[in-house]
Amino acid sequence: MEQYNVTGMSCAACSARVEKAVSAVDGVSACTVNLLTNSMGVEGTAPPEAIIAAVKKAGYGAARQGDSPQVGRGSEVESSPEGDTPALCRRLIASLGFLTLLMYISMGHTMWGWPLPAFLASNPLAIGLTQLLLAAIVMIINQKFFVSGTRGLLHRSPNMDTLVALGSGAAFVYSTAVLFAMTADPTHAAHHLHGLYFESAAMIVALITVGKMLEARAKGKTTDALRSLMQLAPQTATLLRDGEEITVPASQVKKGDIFVVRPGESIPVDGTVLEGISAVNESALTGESIPADKGMGDSVYAATLNQSGFLRCEATRVGEDTALSGIIRMVSDAAATKAPIAKIADRVSGIFVPTVMAIALVTTALWLIFGETVGYALARGISVLVISCPCALGLATPVAIMVGSGVGARNGILFKTAVSLEEAGKVDIAVLDKTGTVTEGKPHVTDIYCAHQREEAETVDFLTAVYSLEALSEHPLSAAIVEKARGMGLQPRPVTDFTAIPGRGLQGRVAMSATADATLLYGGNRAFVGEICPIPADALELADRWAGEGKTPLFFAWEREFAGVIAVADVIKEDSPAAIAALHGMGIRVVMLTGDNTATARAIGAQVGVDEVIAGVLPDGKEAVIRDLQKQGKVAMVGDGINDAPALTRADIGIAIGAGTDVAIDAADVVLMHSRLSDVPAAIRLSRAALRNIKENLFWAFCYNTLGIPLAAGLFVGWLGWEMNPMFGAAAMSLSSFCVVSNALRLNLCRIHDASRDRARRKTATANASSRTLHITGMMCGHCEATVKKALEALPAVSEAVANHGAGTAVVALKGKISDKKLKKTVEKEGYTVTGIE
């Protein structure tokens, strides 16, 4: 999508006009105009020159982002909201100064008898002329409304400025006519002073300027997240060239360049560490406060802070390809796209201004027909013009989208488009890939059984021997044992006669000490080790239980004597059970979809508490499963691998784990930078909050105009005695836009990780929607999990309990009412401690 800056827009009618003009250009397949950021996104084959010409023909200015703006005739170059604020402030101060004098003369003297200079006090005509001059000065200071409004009329695309210009201009012209009448009838000149509306003409444009300034300041806050991201990028980099260090602008770093980063410096581009060890603070990108340890071969990212050591790195991604640039692009693109709900406001905005002009004309004519004076009828018509506010309609959606996208970015949740931000909250079914999403994605040692465990030292000797053998293997399960042993600080022993037997296991001679003879050690699957020696019944029983929990048991034997069993498994992420419980609390059905075998998948599914497990599915099969599930409701797919890409694309909302593959991230609608499953319910909460905010904004905008226009037209004069002065109409119009933007800013207060206010989107929530998560200490193994599960499921109100000793939790699905005290007592009766219940 090609991005353009658009100048001269003041309201939703303007953005609708630009969008209509560009959409009519040959070769344009899609066009989206954003009033908040004064930007436009265009898809298609149309040349930029044709697009810019169409915008200029519509009466506005346009330029490709990065180029100098080509401005339409009579339009101003409009900068960011922050840049507009000083100019608006100067206009406002000057306007208020002259307006104060005008109000003192027109209202203070005429209505309350405040004193005037002698040359004015006894000369009504001089008072009228002074009011005309002061009003004219205020209107000249705010000539932008008249220039833009007139241009809109000439191009047959009236906008908010047209309404302001017509209202203020009508009051000024009518008052000028009354002033001429005063000269024709000097004897009644004092009486005619009450028929002047010069103060209304000036007050209208001054109050609209107040509203514009407040709106610009508020809109500036909505882009704080995007602006702060842009400011993170370091300006310089230190490169190594011909053995010397040189400092260059970060924009000049090329892929393959070698750069160095000292403690306290920001990393200029994405790269790979070639030399050095350090702790790098990556909170700018991930939100994680704990620094990440970096060493040779690790990746580093632009805008992260090197805290402790010297690093020499090779640049791998520079310029627009860095992770930071990608985040900025996603947030910016989300703001540049249009949410489906915005189409409601678009349809209204397209006909709003002409309709209001017609209503104002009819209102004036009707009051004249009913016998009112020209002044009274004109006041009603002017009030209709100045109270209507298409701006509130135009801003209702984009400000909420911008703020919501910013809140997500600060929390490591990136919505690629406005559509994804709106639709994520409507999800009925969440489909989770198992490996890397629900689980860590790599095997870990979970349990160790030593056949001769009389002392702890014997277990350490057993693990040391196994470590020595497995260290020579490249199998992923071997890597898990090596990682465990290294974490315990063990050192491998010398191994000779090492042999790897494909599909069965390993063997080799291990010398446990310098003086001891090397002993033959076997390791592998049950069949392989069972051929070497008999396996005790208790070991087989334990291995079967582990296998039922989704773990892989590895058997070991010394010569002809059984040595022990080690269980290896892809362990569940710590936050997975709580995240799935949170999804249930939102009324969302959770399905786990995996290519793994059914037994392992069901074991993992039972531990985390999903509603359904679909296992043994190939990548193309995943896409077909998603298609079937979509018949039951809106589906979100959460995955991280290349094999998940088809399913991510097919789903209504694709959510990619940030640590996943580039293919998965490209295919997804939402990216979770923290790679935490708990961010899935957080993203849904944020989406629901943003959608709720948009609906509030639209409700306010529609209600304001629905009630305000009849009030201004005088519809309630005979019934309730309510009538509106044009000045109060202008004030109400100014505040309406400010209220919409301020309401959107409330999204910054949204606590997206707080599940206390979660509600099912539909009245018919899933059976697991009512659940509790118990935090338990003391569970050490699968036997402990089974004990807690059995105790909880014995309670009549509990339909299912899933205990996880690794996460220290038990997720309980309820079918009836039960107190937290009863749940706690039940678990603690079995000898465990409950530290909290959610």
Side-chain angles (χ1 to χ4, degrees), residues 447 449 524-526 535-555 562 564-568:
D447 304 272
Y449 169 80
N525 58 35
R526 177 174 178 174
I535 301 175
D538 58 340
L540 289 174
E541 182 182 348
L542 193 60
D544 289 340
R545 194 176 78 203
W546 287 343
E549 295 169 359
K551 303 171 184 177
T552 301
L554 301 174
F555 297 81
F562 181 73
V565 188
I566 295 178
V568 177

Side-chain angles (χ1 to χ4, degrees), residues 10-12 34-37 215 219 345 390-401 697-698 737-738 740-741 744:
S10 62
C11 69
N34 191 313
L35 178 63
L36 173 65
T37 57
E215 181 184 316
K219 283 164 68 176
C391 256
L393 286 172
L395 292 171
T397 300
V399 289
I401 293 296
N697 287 344
L698 288 173
S737 295
F738 178 68
V740 165
V741 176

